[in-house]
């Protein structure tokens, strides 16, 4: 028989709503009922604090995740990219792999430690709440509930002033104290017309909004059926919705392993020009020698401070943009890296004579400057000569692939083969492309080998474009590269045939998306490459499309002045002299310079020894004696006839009558006045 329950613990039953406020046992009748206070407190909290509480716990969750990850996944991913970039450099790869292993170990240790701390805090809070629940203490329940609400509300409170607009273009705590959240970003996507209001719930962020360099980044997954490219094409509209300048917004498809066609990565800079305005000197300025094949070209830095190299081996590059925004500086970096590699023959052609490329005369195998008909024909001869050279390499590679295929497994020229065949990579630089093409368009170029043919020739521009494209095609596997530069990115100066064969493209600021597509191609612009979104203050900033899975990157290029570039070219000349690889135009150009320098040096030495001896004239034997004593390394063993011949070459003329000197009445020799006049010529 069941025992009756004590009266104070009656069986629980469903009861109708209370019609009046109960008074708790032992509570004075003249005091406000405690349950009434609780109910009012709950209603106030629900109405006033609930939105802030939800937002606060959302922000706390994001912060917990950010601290849990502590940038380790990003650092590991960066190390992975660096390992891929260092392919072929076994020593560098080994160091990077060790660093990756260290990062992974640190990441595991950090997660265990942080998870342990979190578990301790959660356990303490959970224990307190459980204690209140077990003991049945109403006050403990009230304190726990209000505390939970209060913590969330405090972190999610809106600190903006009444009537003050809340910008959402920056990440983290801002002047108004508000933090950009997922809902804010999705609202901006709606305002930009990227998604509709009905698609809001189908759009989500992958991970969290997190800081990245001088700005913040987020990965957005669009509703099913939407392409990332359609979102990327509305970058300017998104910039407007975020209330930032268009130059602050970068968007590109998510190329990670988990990425897909409906996901894009957004980066928003915290200032209008995150690339800065202070020039960054090129690392090449401090290099005595450079291995172009092994190390590529130090190019510049991205807005997050990461250094980038341009790998040009096995491909060519087309460079465009408006005048005075940095194309020449970009091109000089490529030429400087090639100059410091004495194994590389470099060929330079520019449609406009000027100081930009004059320094390359010191080491360039070929040099053509100007756009007159004879210069156009000289450039065409240069191209045909390079094509013939590349084809010879191709024939040798073909033979080798049949006899010893293991020596060229990819069918390409290798560093070992280049050394064995006593040749290096070949670089062709073509500047002022629009000038060359305009001039060629007004010419007829005869392509028939028969001199008696009645064929008057073809349009010179067509011939030039076809020949440049042909060079790019035949040179790729033979170690040939091309750098083609134009400052007028339109259909006439950037022929599609040439752009199509250049695997890489780069573009400085242009006026519109059409010009961006003209230089970079439709695919690159659709993927988010946007040089037309750069602003006037971003001189030296280039959008580089790598032409592969790497996609595009926006960089501030390193800086190198014309005098600094000339110093590197002179260094490159000396490297080639020492290596015996100074050939072609530079050898002849330098020969004349060296001869002129030697003549000036002889005249200067003659004046120096006359002044040291306190005389203003000397017979040939005495002058030779003084020179041999002054610089035996130069003049020891020289005969009187040799000295007279060299002074004639130095435009000092023949000997003159000196009057009474050395006990002689009027012997022949040289006067100081005679030598000084020759030095001025």
């Amino acid at each position: 028989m069941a025992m009756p329950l004590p009266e104070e613990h009656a069986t629980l039953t469903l009861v109708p709503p209370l019609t009046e406020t109960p008074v708790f046992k032992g509570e004075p009748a003249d005091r406000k009922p405690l349950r009434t206070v609780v109910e009012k407190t709950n209603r106030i909290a629900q109405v006033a604090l609930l939105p802030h509480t939800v937002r606060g716990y959302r922000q706390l969750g994001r912060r917990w995740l950010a601290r849990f990850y502590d940038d380790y996944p990003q650092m590991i991913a960066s190390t992975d990219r660096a390992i891929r970039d260092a392919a072929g450099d076994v020593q560098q790869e080994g160091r990077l792999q060790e660093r990756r292993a260290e990062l992974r170990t640190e990441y595991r240790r950090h997660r265990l430690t942080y998870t342990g701390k979190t578990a301790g805090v959660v356990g303490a809070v959970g224990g307190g709440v459980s204690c209140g629940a077990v003991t049945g203490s109403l006050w403990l329940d009230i304190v726990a509930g209000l505390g939970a609400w209060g913590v969330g509300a405090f972190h999610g409170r809106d600190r903006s002033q009444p009537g003050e607009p809340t910008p959402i273009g920056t990440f983290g705590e801002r002047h108004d104290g508000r933090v950009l959240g997922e809902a804010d970003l999705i609202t901006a996507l709606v305002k930009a017309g990227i998604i509709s209001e009905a698609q809001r719930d189908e759009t989500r962020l992958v991970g969290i909004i997190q800081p990245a360099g001088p700005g913040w980044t987020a990965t957005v997954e669009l509703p099913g059926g939407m392409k990332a490219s359609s979102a990327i094409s509305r970058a300017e509209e998104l910039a407007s919705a975020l209330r930032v300048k268009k130059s602050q917004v970068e968007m590109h498809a998510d190329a990670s392993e988990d990425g897909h066609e409906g996901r894009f990565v957004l980066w928003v800079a915290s200032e209008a020009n995150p690339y800065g305005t202070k020039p960054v000197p090129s690392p090449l300025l401090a290099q005595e020698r450079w291995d172009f094949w092994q190390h590529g070209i130090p190019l510049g830095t991205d807005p997050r401070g990461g250094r980038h190299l341009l790998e040009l081996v096995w491909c060519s590059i087309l460079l465009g943009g408006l005048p005075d925004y940095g194309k020449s500086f970009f091109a000089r970096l490529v030429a400087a890296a090639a100059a410091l590699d004495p194994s590389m023959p470099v060929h330079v052609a520019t449609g406009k004579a000027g100081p930009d490329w004059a320094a390359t005369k010191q080491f360039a195998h070929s040099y053509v400057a100007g756009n007159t008909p004879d210069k156009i024909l000289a450039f065409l001869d240069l191209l045909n000569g390079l094509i013939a050279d590349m084809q010879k390499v191709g024939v040798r590679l073909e033979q080798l692939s049949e006899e010893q295929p293991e020596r060229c497994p990819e069918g390409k020229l290798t560093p070992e083969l280049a050394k064995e065949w006593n040749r290096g990579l070949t670089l062709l630089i073509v500047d002022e492309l629009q000038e060359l093409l305009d001039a060629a368009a007004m010419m007829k170029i005869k392509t028939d080998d028969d001199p008696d043919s009645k064929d008057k020739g073809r349009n010179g521009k067509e011939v030039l474009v076809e020949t440049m494209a042909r060079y790019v095609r035949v040179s790729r596997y033979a170690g040939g590269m091309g750098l083609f530069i134009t400052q007028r990115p339109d259909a006439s100066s950037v022929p599609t045939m040439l752009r199509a064969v250049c695997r890489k493209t780069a573009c400085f600021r242009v006026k519109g998306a059409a010009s961006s597509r003209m230089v970079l191609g439709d695919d690159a612009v659709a993927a988010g490459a946007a040089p037309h979104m750069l602003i006037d203050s971003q001189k030296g900033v280039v959008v580089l499309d790598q032409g592969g899975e790497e996609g595009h990157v926006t960089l501030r290029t390193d800086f190198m002045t014309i005098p600094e570039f000339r110093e590197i070219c002179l260094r490159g000349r000396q490297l080639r002299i020492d290596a015996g690889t100074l050939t072609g135009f530079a050898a002849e150009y330098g020969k004349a310079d060296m001869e002129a320098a030697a003549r000036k040096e002889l005249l200067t030495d003659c004046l120096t020894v006359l002044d040291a001896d306190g005389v203003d004239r000397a017979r040939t034997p005495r002058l030779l004696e003084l020179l041999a004593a002054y610089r035996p390394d130069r003049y020891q063993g020289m005969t009187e006839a040799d000295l007279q011949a060299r002074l004639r070459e130095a435009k000092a003329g023949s000997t003159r009558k000196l009057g009474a000197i050395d006990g002689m009445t009027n012997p022949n020799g040289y006067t100081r006045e005679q030598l000084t006049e020759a030095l001025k010529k």
Side-chain angles (χ1 to χ4, degrees):
M1 183 176 184
M3 294 288 294
L5 293 172
E7 185 178 349
E8 62 270 23
H9 292 289
T11 305
L12 293 175
T13 59
L14 294 174
V15 296
L18 294 172
T19 56
E20 59 182 26
T21 304
V23 177
F24 287 87
K25 185 177 180 180
E27 184 177 52
D30 59 343
R31 288 185 60 186
K32 184 179 293 186
L34 180 59
R35 190 171 298 279
T36 302
V37 175
V38 174
E39 290 176 351
K40 287 186 177 180
T41 302
N42 286 342
R43 285 197 296 272
I44 293 172
Q46 289 172 353
V47 173
L49 298 179
L50 186 58
H52 301 297
T53 302
V54 172
R55 183 165 59 241
Y57 278 108
R58 184 185 299 164
Q59 296 302 329
L60 285 172
R62 288 191 176 118
R63 290 172 191 170
W64 186 90
L65 282 173
R67 291 169 184 167
F68 179 77
Y69 292 124
D70 200 23
D71 292 332
Y72 277 104
Q74 180 180 343
M75 290 188 289
I76 293 170
S78 298
T79 308
D80 287 336
R81 286 194 297 272
I83 292 173
R84 290 195 296 271
D85 292 341
D89 187 343
V90 177
Q91 200 171 24
Q92 179 71 357
E93 283 187 81
R95 286 195 295 268
L96 290 170
Q97 287 171 350
E98 289 178 4
R99 177 57 180 159
R100 182 174 61 184
E102 291 173 0
L103 286 171
R104 286 174 173 169
T105 302
E106 291 175 10
Y107 186 28
R108 284 194 294 269
R109 189 183 304 118
H110 169 76
R111 284 184 298 181
L112 287 172
T113 303
Y114 197 71
T115 302
K117 291 179 180 178
T118 303
V121 173
V122 171
V125 173
V129 173
S130 299
C131 179
V134 170
T135 60
S137 172
L138 181 61
W139 283 107
L140 281 178
D141 290 342
I142 293 172
V143 170
L146 291 177
W149 253 321
V151 169
F154 176 80
H155 288 281
R157 70 195 186 281
D158 187 353
R159 304 177 211 178
S160 60
Q161 298 298 321
E164 179 183 356
T166 304
I168 60 172
T170 54
F171 173 86
E173 298 291 342
R174 300 190 301 277
H175 68 277
D176 61 2
R178 190 163 178 270
V179 178
L180 174 65
E182 179 175 349
D184 300 310
L185 181 53
I186 293 177
T187 297
L189 295 176
V190 174
K191 291 181 178 180
I194 293 174
I195 60 172
S196 65
E197 183 65 42
Q199 294 173 310
R200 178 188 289 270
D201 294 338
E202 299 179 63
T203 308
R204 70 181 187 91
L205 300 191
V206 181
I208 62 173
I209 300 174
Q210 56 186 322
W216 55 268
T217 187
T219 301
V220 180
E221 188 163 77
L222 296 167
M226 287 194 66
K227 297 186 297 184
S229 57
S230 64
I232 291 168
S233 67
R234 301 190 65 82
E236 289 189 67
E237 288 81 357
L238 181 57
S240 174
L242 291 171
R243 291 295 185 262
V244 297
K245 291 185 180 295
K246 61 182 182 179
S247 59
Q248 292 175 246
V249 174
E250 283 187 10
M251 301 170 69
H252 61 84
D254 185 0
S256 67
E257 291 184 3
D258 297 328
H260 54 73
E261 297 303 316
R263 183 185 290 183
F264 69 88
V265 178
L266 169 68
W267 182 76
V268 179
S270 55
E271 56 188 55
N273 187 5
Y275 305 92
T277 56
K278 186 178 180 180
V280 178
S282 170
L284 292 170
L285 297 173
Q287 299 296 321
E288 290 298 322
R289 189 185 181 104
W290 192 257
D291 189 331
F292 193 99
W293 202 317
Q294 184 70 29
H295 302 305
I297 305 150
L299 193 57
T301 54
D302 60 33
R304 300 140 179 93
R307 292 288 308 173
H308 288 260
L309 294 174
L310 172 63
E311 297 291 347
L312 204 54
V313 182
W314 316 128
C315 61
S316 293
I317 183 170
L318 176 67
L319 173 63
L322 293 173
D324 300 325
Y325 279 90
K327 296 186 304 299
S328 295
F329 292 101
F330 182 109
R332 278 188 210 126
L333 296 174
V334 178
L340 294 177
D341 188 335
S343 69
M344 283 189 69
V346 178
H347 306 265
V348 177
T350 173
K352 185 169 63 178
D356 285 346
W357 296 104
T360 61
K361 295 178 182 179
Q362 298 292 339
F363 71 93
H365 181 86
S366 305
Y367 185 86
V368 179
N371 58 11
T372 57
D374 61 314
K375 297 294 185 180
I376 299 297
L377 293 175
F379 177 43
L380 189 59
D381 288 341
L382 166 59
L383 289 170
N384 287 324
L386 288 173
I387 290 171
D389 181 55
M390 296 293 104
Q391 287 179 326
K392 288 179 182 178
V393 177
V395 169
R396 297 187 72 173
L397 288 171
E398 181 181 354
Q399 293 173 345
L400 190 64
S401 66
E402 293 177 348
E403 299 168 0
Q404 297 175 289
E406 69 280 357
R407 298 192 62 194
C408 53
E410 297 181 4
K412 299 178 181 177
L413 183 70
T414 64
E416 295 75 21
L417 290 175
K419 185 176 182 180
E420 180 182 326
W421 295 347
N422 195 28
R423 64 174 300 123
L425 297 168
T426 300
L427 175 64
L428 168 66
I429 299 173
V430 182
D431 196 9
E432 302 291 350
L433 180 61
Q434 74 284 348
E435 298 294 334
L436 292 169
L437 295 179
D438 285 350
M442 296 185 289
M443 297 172 57
K444 291 287 186 181
I445 295 179
K446 194 174 180 63
T447 56
D448 193 333
D449 293 334
D450 183 3
D452 298 325
S453 171
K454 295 182 180 180
D455 180 15
K456 294 181 180 180
R458 296 174 55 204
N459 180 277
K461 179 179 177 180
E462 294 178 2
V463 174
L464 214 54
V465 171
E466 290 176 7
T467 309
M468 286 188 288
R470 187 176 174 217
Y471 163 75
V472 173
R473 289 195 301 269
V474 303
S475 66
R476 181 180 176 190
Y477 293 104
M481 299 159 285
L483 168 60
F484 303 94
I485 311 154
T486 180
Q487 67 171 351
R488 198 180 67 214
D490 55 33
S492 62
S493 62
V494 187
T496 305
M497 178 183 291
L498 180 58
R499 187 191 66 210
V501 294
C502 291
R503 181 184 170 191
K504 299 192 177 186
T505 53
C507 190
F508 287 83
R509 183 173 181 247
V510 290
K511 290 184 177 179
S515 294
S516 295
R517 287 191 289 270
M518 196 63 61
V519 178
L520 300 177
D522 294 340
D523 292 342
V525 175
H532 54 284
M533 290 178 63
L534 298 173
I535 57 179
D536 187 66
S537 63
Q538 291 177 323
K539 292 187 177 182
V541 177
V542 66
V543 179
L544 171 66
D545 182 56
Q546 305 277 21
E549 294 181 357
E550 309 97 319
H552 70 275
V553 63
T554 305
L555 307 170
R556 180 175 186 81
T557 55
D558 296 332
F559 189 75
M560 183 183 296
T561 65
I562 290 180
E564 289 171 336
F565 180 54
R566 178 175 172 77
E567 287 299 316
I568 285 184
C569 291
L570 290 170
R571 206 180 308 158
R573 176 183 181 80
Q574 189 58 50
L575 287 170
R576 283 164 174 77
I577 291 173
D578 296 342
T581 57
L582 188 69
T583 56
F585 179 91
E588 294 300 317
Y589 177 81
K591 184 178 179 181
D593 271 5
M594 289 176 65
E595 290 174 354
R599 289 194 296 267
K600 182 178 180 180
E601 187 177 60
L602 173 60
L603 293 169
T604 302
D605 287 348
C606 289
L607 291 170
T608 300
V609 297
L610 288 178
D611 291 344
D613 201 39
V615 297
D616 63 353
R617 53 189 172 157
R619 294 187 303 117
T620 305
R622 176 58 178 165
L623 181 59
L624 183 58
E625 179 184 342
L626 293 172
L627 288 170
Y630 173 58
R631 290 297 301 268
D633 57 320
R634 291 181 186 170
Y635 304 107
Q636 193 73 43
M638 181 181 288
T639 65
E640 294 180 31
D642 291 337
L643 178 58
Q644 290 174 351
R646 288 188 57 184
L647 285 171
R648 280 195 298 272
E649 291 174 358
K651 300 181 181 181
S654 302
T655 57
R656 298 178 180 179
K657 293 295 183 180
L658 302 179
I661 188 174
D662 295 341
M664 303 179 70
T665 305
N666 194 17
N668 291 331
Y670 296 91
T671 67
R672 193 181 195 288
E673 180 183 5
Q674 175 185 4
L675 297 170
T676 302
E677 288 297 322
L679 191 59
K680 294 178 181 178
K681 294 179 182 178

